[in-house]
């Protein structure tokens, strides 16, 4: 039952091609655009303070990534988030390396007052965003998904948001309903941008519409698609280089039956 | 006859390795560099206001892409275009999302006073640049190539430039001589940067020299190479991920015979 | 004997996952991150003046690339290099297009007063950095590795650094001990970022630790790994597009025996 609901969102994205405004980072912006295109969404990386407010109101969702934050981008992000919020455009936050670096941690903690619809990060980032002790090692998590469950639920309830902690195990919660996904492959953290692109994919999935009252469904669907496609791609490839093309192919071509038979999930109480 | 003339330009680029100064966007700069290298050209993405004037005079052509325009880049673009013009370096404009966003539309309409040699965009962008009604959806066209014929011819005659409208059908005109190309594949718009890289490829082709009086020939050759290589690459791949490596391989290795037998074109009156 | 010492550094990187702070360029930052990840290192591209000093002290090495230098990045680089130096973090300089452009040449010549541990560039760049006559053509070398031997040795002795000149033949020297490597493939300069990523790989290798008194060993190991993996990848691929995934796969999976049997080197007196 759940797999077919989730895959119906994959289909919605393919059919509706939601326009996703990405304020991305310099390292993974290309990968992010390609993941969105493969999934059937339409990415656009408009960056200038002069343009973001005008553009975000045309978009179906906004994706904000702090990976290479600087002062100019921080300003553009604030303008975009505010304009998007005024226009009812939902936004997703990827708090890259929050908890490990002061400037972005302070920025992110203020930014979430503007109520992201979804937050997606690794365990260290979610703990760091929730105000936990500094952790993380650059962009890598030093904590496990299990360690971040409490922080994720607290953030979700506090912000009325969905929080997705991704890693070897993914945990997605809106504070009331929670799920664990166990797909993907250990090669994925050895490819830059698999996490950043997933955050933008979540934005595409909530931007496709139809689940305004329950964004947990499209958020879970995006994480599930990325993981299932990744697991299948890893099986047929020899390393992190050949993984990427295969992952994009799978994101574009995965069918409902293969999705359902590959998905490993467990709803949590 | 035309296919062999066009392929002779492909050969010129491979032999002469024109140096192309690219003022690119943050999303597709890597793809752009790889496409130029695969085709035998030499790309360089010098970006600083302090360096662009010095560098552009060393280059054989300049490629300007507005995809992630901001105020600092707008300034660098103006400096580079003026310095290149003074030194007789031809330049190509890719008016990404012009018509959809005010800041870049105003900028592009002023910039073309400095007479680009070639303009390459999708139908919405060419219509937008020519002063037509706002259209487009982010970086995607909402118009067909057919819709943009009049705008393309008007721009070409007005600016003494070649205008290339690319899409499922490509239309290239200098206002007097026009052609339609029907290669490529529907996977190409699902890979970020295929259009941006094509604009830079046009710059390489006009920069290779030998057609100063008739840039329509090298502009057509660049669009034809991209489309033929793309069509062949798509035939042997399973999706947008595996397409990219295959496209680059084909750009590097395509031979005259395969080019001629695959090219679909129709000269227009 | 030497091959097994070199491969032991490859193993150290895989085991220790050194954290490399990269101040990269806009074109090749994605490739750089993927090469580091494939080799087992942990890249992070923190760019803001507000963050670089805090972050570099967490890193095992710093990699500085001047490919798309502008005034803001120049400031961040100076802050990072100084903070890293105070914290004992070794740094690698990639002097992209130094010698060909005034702004970056002036900047690089001042920057090396802060004593890079390793400098990696092509022949024109090493000659340009050492104060030789302007040369180079954009980012491409117009000189051969042989031409740059004297400049490399002089720089190495002057700065107490290791200098690696890479090209068809690679030459790595600390002024006293020198080696030539003859792996790689002619496809590699047709893929953007193979050189930039190699500089960051050198940073990872010196950051893995254990050779503080003799950084020539890890610098040679990094260049050797890139060349051997590249040569093997080129043998099994059809062009510059398919090369990249195969190279990343080889960087991740190469074993000691294949490394030793493929490595071509000659120690120089």
């Amino acid at each position: 039952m759940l797999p077919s609901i989730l895959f119906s969102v994959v289909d919605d994205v393919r059919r509706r091609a939601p326009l996703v405004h990405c304020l991305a980072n310099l390292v993974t912006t290309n990968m992010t655009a390609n993941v969105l295109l493969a999934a059937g969404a339409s990415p656009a990386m408009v960056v200038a303070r002069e343009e973001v407010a005008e553009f975000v109101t045309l978009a179906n969702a906004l994706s904000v990534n702090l990976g290479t934050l600087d002062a100019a981008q921080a300003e553009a992000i604030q303008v975009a988030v505010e304009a998007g919020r005024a226009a009812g455009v939902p936004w997703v936050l990827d708090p890259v390396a929050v908890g490990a670096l002061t400037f972005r941690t302070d920025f992110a903690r203020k930014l979430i007052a503007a109520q992201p619809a979804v937050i997606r990060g690794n365990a260290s980032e979610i703990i760091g965003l929730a105000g936990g002790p500094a952790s993380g090692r650059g962009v890598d998590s030093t904590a496990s998904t299990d360690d971040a469950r409490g922080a994720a639920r607290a953030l979700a309830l506090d912000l009325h948001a969905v929080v997705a902690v991704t890693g070897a195990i993914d945990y997605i919660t809106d504070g009331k309903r929670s799920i664990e996904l166990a797909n993907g492959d250990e090669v994925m953290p050895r490819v830059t941008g698999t996490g950043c692109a997933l955050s933008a994919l979540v934005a595409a999935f909530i931007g496709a519409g139809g689940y305004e009252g329950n964004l947990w469904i499209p958020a879970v669907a995006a994480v599930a698609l990325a993981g299932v496609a990744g697991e299948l791609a890893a099986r047929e490839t020899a390393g992190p280089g050949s993984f990427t093309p295969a992952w994009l192919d799978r994101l574009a071509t995965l069918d409902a039956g293969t999705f359902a038979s590959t998905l490993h999930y467990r709803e949590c109480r």
Side-chain angles (χ1 to χ4, degrees), chain A:
Chain A
M1 188 60 196
L2 184 65
S4 74
I5 294 171
L6 298 178
F7 199 81
S8 75
V9 191
V10 175
D11 269 338
D12 291 344
V13 171
R14 290 178 180 174
R15 234 182 15 255
R16 296 176 191 163
L19 180 60
V20 183
H21 183 183
C22 300
L23 292 164
N25 74 55
L26 301 171
V27 188
T28 63
T29 180
N30 183 273
M31 174 71 134
T32 297
N34 277 329
V35 164
L36 290 183
L37 287 167
S42 179
M45 277 68 173
V46 172
V47 302
R49 194 176 44 73
E50 289 85 351
E51 296 196 325
V52 292
E54 185 180 9
F55 190 69
V56 73
T57 62
L58 307 174
N60 298 109
L62 171 67
S63 174
V64 172
N65 180 298
L66 305 185
T68 52
L69 188 72
D70 62 15
Q73 196 192 31
E75 192 185 340
I77 287 171
Q78 279 179 311
V79 171
V81 164
E82 287 306 326
R85 204 183 173 195
V89 178
W91 68 286
V92 173
L93 175 65
D94 187 332
V96 181
V98 161
L101 289 165
T102 310
F103 177 71
R104 65 182 68 195
T105 302
D106 291 349
F107 179 73
R109 287 184 185 159
K110 271 187 284 184
L111 192 65
I112 55 178
Q115 291 192 295
V118 185
I119 299 168
R120 197 238 34 109
N122 66 35
S124 289
E125 292 158 352
I126 298 303
I127 294 168
L129 185 62
S135 69
R137 180 164 173 280
V139 298
D140 299 327
S141 188
T142 52
S144 76
T145 296
D146 256 8
D147 300 331
R149 282 162 177 274
R153 274 195 304 267
L155 270 178
L157 289 169
D158 193 33
L159 301 171
H160 305 287
V162 177
V163 176
V165 185
T166 63
I169 301 289
D170 307 314
Y171 175 76
I172 302 109
T173 185
D174 63 5
K176 287 156 281 177
R177 193 172 182 188
S178 306
I179 196 169
E180 276 182 10
L181 305 178
N183 289 103
D185 187 274
E186 61 187 18
V187 79
M188 294 180 76
R190 298 193 64 179
V191 176
T192 194
T194 49
C196 300
L198 174 51
S199 297
L201 196 66
V202 169
F205 275 54
I206 65 172
Y211 291 90
E212 280 71 13
N214 183 9
L215 295 180
W216 185 85
I217 291 284
V220 172
V223 179
L225 173 64
V228 168
E231 183 166 326
L232 295 168
R235 279 183 204 165
E236 66 195 24
T237 50
S242 47
F243 171 80
T244 304
W247 190 43
L248 293 168
D249 286 357
R250 289 289 189 166
L251 289 169
T253 60
L254 190 67
D255 64 84
T258 310
F259 176 80
S261 65
T262 311
L263 184 68
H264 286 100
Y265 70 99
R266 192 170 68 85
E267 292 214 47
C268 317
R269 269 167 307 168

